[in-house]
Amino acid sequence: MDMGSFMSHSKAQLKKEKFFQFISRLKSSIGFVFLPLKIEGHQLLSPGLELDQSIDVNTRNLIGSESRFDYLISNTFGIQFSTLTSLSKKQYNHSILGIWKRGELNQTGQLNYQLSASLYSRKLRLNHGQNVLSETIIYKGKEFDSGRFQYFSEQRDYGLSTTLNFDYRFKRAITLGIFARYFYTFGGNAGLYIREKGEFWFWNRSSIFDQGGLTIKRDKIIKNNFQFGITFSLDL
């Protein structure tokens, strides 16, 4: 083998080794999360849609499925991207991108903690039922002609979240844990989300997000930025 061929082979081998080293640092898991959410009292009002309803302060206990992907910078530091969606008709979802630090709490390595800081975006959509229209109407530039529509309280926001996890690994791939998370909101909005029902073709179903259709004291539907949960995850 001449020098040129040797150098070319070495570079290809090095690229291959770097690729497999990168792949070996990628980890993924799926899990289920219990999320208690406190909902602020608010008023839904839309004269054009014959809608006037008060929503009292209440608590929604949601169960969500989480897909998580990690890149291990080292044994104790990493980068995380995760998405969480509630199982109950997608009432809640959020996406998180951030960094974490992990440590062991016992000698066997089964009990661990993880502290993370992440950028997030989230959406809460609460279904309050359906309403019937007596005639076709044009609302905010959208035509509602099927005679029925669903209406929701909706909050969209983004910001920074910090999370502290404690988890116990039963087996190599099965982990049970608890977490506490706080959301520092940078911005967002809340409003009335309306979706037409009864149309056969989905592209004919009108929908609209109307900030003016919801009245609330703190401009937030989610009353608690502090969140607790229980996790069950399976490493893939």
Side-chain angles (χ1 to χ4, degrees):
M1 181 182 293
D2 58 31
M3 183 59 69
S5 299
F6 177 76
M7 292 296 292
S8 177
H9 176 75
S10 297
K11 287 182 179 179
Q13 186 66 25
L14 183 60
K15 288 181 179 179
K16 186 177 180 180
E17 289 176 359
K18 286 184 176 180
F19 173 75
F20 282 110
Q21 184 181 33
F22 175 79
I23 293 297
S24 68
R25 291 179 176 271
L26 291 176
K27 305 294 181 182
S28 62
S29 64
I30 57 174
F32 295 94
V33 181
F34 171 72
L35 291 172
L37 298 175
K38 292 182 179 179
I39 307 303
E40 183 73 82
H42 52 281
Q43 179 82 16
L44 303 174
L45 181 62
S46 179
L49 292 173
E50 305 171 13
L51 180 62
D52 185 356
Q53 183 175 345
S54 296
I55 308 299
D56 295 329
V57 174
N58 64 89
T59 300
R60 299 286 179 100
N61 295 316
L62 304 180
I63 296 177
S65 62
E66 181 179 43
S67 299
R68 174 171 168 165
F69 304 90
D70 293 276
Y71 177 76
L72 308 181
I73 299 173
S74 68
N75 289 333
T76 55
F77 289 94
I79 300 171
Q80 169 194 352
F81 173 73
S82 68
T83 59
L84 187 150
T85 302
S86 67
L87 301 180
S88 52
K89 298 182 180 180
K90 298 184 178 180
Q91 290 188 67
Y92 177 90
N93 66 72
H94 74 227
S95 298
I96 284 177
L97 175 64
I99 58 175
W100 52 257
K101 181 184 185 305
R102 179 180 295 162
E104 296 179 355
L105 294 175
N106 66 353
Q107 294 181 348
T108 63
Q110 289 180 289
L111 184 62
N112 299 276
Y113 76 89
Q114 181 175 295
L115 183 64
S116 61
S118 310
L119 297 174
Y120 81 88
S121 66
R122 65 176 174 172
K123 180 170 67 178
L124 174 72
R125 181 179 290 174
L126 302 177
N127 187 354
H128 300 301
Q130 299 185 27
N131 209 2
V132 178
L133 294 171
S134 57
E135 58 185 12
T136 297
I137 65 165
I138 305 295
Y139 184 73
K140 304 288 184 179
K142 297 289 185 72
E143 183 179 71
F144 292 81
D145 60 358
S146 68
R148 293 187 296 123
F149 66 90
Q150 280 182 295
Y151 57 99
F152 308 79
S153 308
E154 182 166 304
Q155 177 178 322
R156 308 169 180 177
D157 60 33
Y158 61 90
L160 176 70
S161 71
T162 55
T163 307
L164 177 62
N165 294 70
F166 294 98
D167 58 65
Y168 184 82
R169 187 174 294 274
F170 289 96
K171 296 184 179 180
R172 186 175 181 180
I174 300 175
T175 303
L176 181 67
I178 58 173
F179 74 89
R181 176 180 294 132
Y182 191 84
F183 291 99
Y184 301 90
T185 303
F186 295 161
N189 48 51
L192 172 66
Y193 179 75
I194 303 158
R195 184 169 64 200
E196 191 173 23
K197 296 284 291 182
E199 290 283 1
F200 181 78
W201 302 109
F202 69 88
W203 54 78
N204 287 334
R205 299 170 193 166
S206 295
S207 62
I208 194 169
F209 177 73
D210 179 16
Q211 283 187 255
L214 186 147
T215 303
I216 194 167
K217 292 180 180 179
R218 303 191 312 153
D219 299 323
K220 291 181 181 180
I221 297 173
I222 301 176
K223 192 174 183 179
N224 58 317
N225 276 334
F226 198 62
Q227 201 174 87
F228 292 96
I230 301 172
T231 62
F232 173 81
S233 62
L234 178 66
D235 292 346
L236 302 177

